[in-house]
Amino acid sequence: MNVDDFDYFLPQELIAQTPLGDRSSSKLLILDKKTGKIEHEVFKNIKGYLKCGDCLVINNTKVIPARLIGNKQDTNAKVEILLLKRKEDDVWECLVKPGKKLKAGAKASFGDGLLTCEVLSIEEEGNRLVKFYYDGIFEEILDKLGQMPLPPYITHKLEDKNRYQTVYAKYDGSAAAPTAGLHFTPQLLKEIKEMGVEIAEVTLHVGLGTFRPVKVHDVEKHHMHSEFYNITNDAAEKINRTKKSGGRIICVGTTSCRTIESAADENGYIEPKSGWTNIFIYPGYKFKVLDALITNFHLPKSTLLMLVSALAGRENILNAYQNAVEEKYRFFSFGDAMFIQ
């Protein structure tokens, strides 16, 4: 299976640069995964495609303002650090720019010295282990100094940090938002619950590896990044109860999908657990739990495009994407949505 099999043409102007004023007013493409049939809707009308007895699985991770811009202490040169993974209390695995200025031993300062750091070592793929020094509470300082780590294809400034969070974000830890969830409002979720749809909350902290391009031609040789996930007893019970009663398990986003597929047994039942997953879902994968998926439109040749192709078939997906381009859908993180059922 070649990575070029998952390419498509996308005009630059269809890459959404800003979120819509009303989260739930985005377009929604409905795709029948068996027939390839396409319908066009508005996201708030997704209620018409959900049924009493279904279970919606959402990812309640919260994006941290992980992008820090400061100065190297000895030369005052501008530097940028992006927090990826907390290794221990004040030590983080980070991406740094420019790499040549931040070798082991280099020190940097942010917010007139409110936060300082030292590069401890250079890790694989050029990432750095960085120790931070400060007075007070790290999360409060980060909230004051940090910026949202928007994807590289978004060049406009985000005026409201909360627009890169879902309305149900709870647990700090992500370097990127689970973007399919950005379309939900508290009112829409309330109406969905009132229909008799269960809502199960899981956590997967999204890493920046989600934007990492596939650099090998043979898809099966791609190495997935690992991400931390947690499934509570309550979430597992809701999912298993729905499965037993014949309801559909509908994941909101590829991160929710990867979480439950990582924790499922061979019969499609979920165990409450936490750990790290590097599950790579591409065509040929047999889904154990998931029945349907709410998702955004993904980058050409990406692992996420491969995941949705595993669910609906590559030809159905590429045809739907071509249709979305023709209909001037907005693509990627702040873009429109698709419901694969």
Side-chain angles (χ1 to χ4, degrees):
M1 199 180 312
N2 195 301
V3 68
D4 292 330
D5 294 338
F6 299 91
D7 198 9
Y8 67 92
F9 172 70
L10 179 68
Q12 190 78 14
E13 65 268 19
L14 294 185
I15 299 173
Q17 293 294 325
T18 53
L20 295 178
D22 172 12
R23 289 175 183 261
S24 63
S25 66
S26 59
K27 293 181 182 177
L28 177 66
L29 186 148
I30 313 287
L31 176 65
D32 186 311
K33 64 179 187 278
K34 290 183 179 152
T35 66
K37 183 190 168 192
I38 292 168
E39 297 173 61
H40 298 287
E41 263 293 357
V42 178
F43 192 84
K44 63 184 70 166
N45 294 338
I46 196 162
K47 290 179 297 180
Y49 296 85
L50 304 177
K51 296 180 281 208
C52 177
D54 287 340
C55 179
L56 211 56
V57 183
I58 61 177
N59 181 7
N60 61 16
T61 188
K62 192 172 186 182
V63 186
I64 58 173
R67 188 168 171 246
L68 290 162
I69 296 170
N71 301 90
K72 194 160 177 270
Q73 284 188 344
D74 55 354
T75 63
N76 209 36
K78 183 181 171 184
V79 294
E80 185 176 321
I81 289 183
L82 192 62
L83 309 180
L84 295 180
K85 241 183 247 177
R86 186 177 235 141
K87 294 301 217 178
E88 51 190 81
D89 288 343
D90 294 317
V91 177
W92 287 74
E93 183 179 341
C94 303
L95 283 174
V96 303
K97 278 201 304 195
K100 61 186 179 195
K101 288 183 180 161
L102 289 168
K103 294 177 179 168
K107 295 178 180 176
S109 174
F110 308 91
D112 296 324
L114 193 60
L115 181 68
T116 61
C117 74
E118 180 180 2
V119 177
L120 301 181
S121 62
I122 300 176
E123 304 295 286
E124 60 177 321
E125 297 181 346
N127 293 353
R128 306 300 201 261
L129 273 191
V130 177
K131 178 156 187 171
F132 289 93
Y133 302 91
Y134 53 91
D135 289 322
I137 298 168
F138 182 74
E139 285 73 16
E140 288 180 2
I141 293 168
L142 191 62
D143 198 49
K144 185 175 180 181
L145 301 180
Q147 298 176 16
M148 281 299 183
L150 293 177
Y153 48 76
I154 292 177
T155 55
H156 293 208
K157 190 173 188 294
L158 181 63
E159 298 302 329
D160 178 3
K161 278 202 270 198
N162 287 325
R163 291 311 308 274
Y164 196 55
Q165 301 280 19
T166 62
V167 296
Y168 46 76
K170 279 185 188 169
Y171 301 112
D172 286 340
S174 276
T179 54
L182 296 178
H183 304 282
F184 286 92
T185 63
Q187 180 62 28
L188 182 55
L189 284 167
K190 179 172 174 283
E191 290 169 6
I192 287 169
K193 277 185 191 171
E194 287 169 352
M195 290 172 56
V197 175
E198 290 263 35
I199 296 184
E201 295 188 25
V202 299
T203 307
L204 181 133
H205 293 319
V206 189
L208 276 188
T210 195
F211 302 119
R212 190 175 291 154
V214 178
K215 293 179 179 174
V216 291
H217 288 296
D218 183 351
V219 166
E220 294 173 41
K221 291 182 179 170
H222 175 68
H223 176 66
M224 282 290 281
H225 56 289
S226 62
E227 295 166 317
F228 180 81
Y229 73 93
N230 181 56
I231 298 175
T232 62
N233 278 316
D234 180 63
E237 281 173 11
K238 284 179 178 175
I239 293 166
N240 292 339
R241 190 163 62 235
T242 302
K243 205 79 182 164
K244 275 179 191 162
S245 64
R248 294 179 302 169
I249 307 298
I250 302 166
C251 284
V252 177
T254 55
T255 60
S256 299
C257 164
R258 292 178 66 243
T259 302
I260 65 170
E261 290 294 318
S262 297
D265 66 19
E266 289 310 307
N267 298 314
Y269 289 101
I270 299 288
E271 295 175 45
K273 58 162 71 169
S274 63
W276 294 84
T277 180
N278 62 354
I279 188 172
F280 182 17
I281 297 174
Y282 55 89
Y285 179 85
K286 301 295 181 202
F287 288 88
K288 301 182 206 135
V289 198
L290 174 137
D291 298 300
L293 178 69
I294 297 167
T295 185
N296 277 20
F297 290 88
H298 305 295
L299 277 74
K301 302 185 183 182
S302 64
T303 59
L304 303 181
L305 189 60
M306 293 169 197
L307 185 153
V308 294
S309 296
L311 180 61
R314 186 181 72 90
E315 288 185 11
N316 284 344
I317 288 292
L318 292 179
N319 181 54
Y321 272 54
Q322 185 181 339
N323 190 268
V325 168
E326 289 165 2
E327 295 292 328
K328 301 283 193 287
Y329 272 60
R330 301 164 76 249
F331 277 65
F332 306 160
S333 294
F334 287 138
D336 296 315
M338 175 189 274
F339 181 35
I340 304 171
Q341 62 170 354

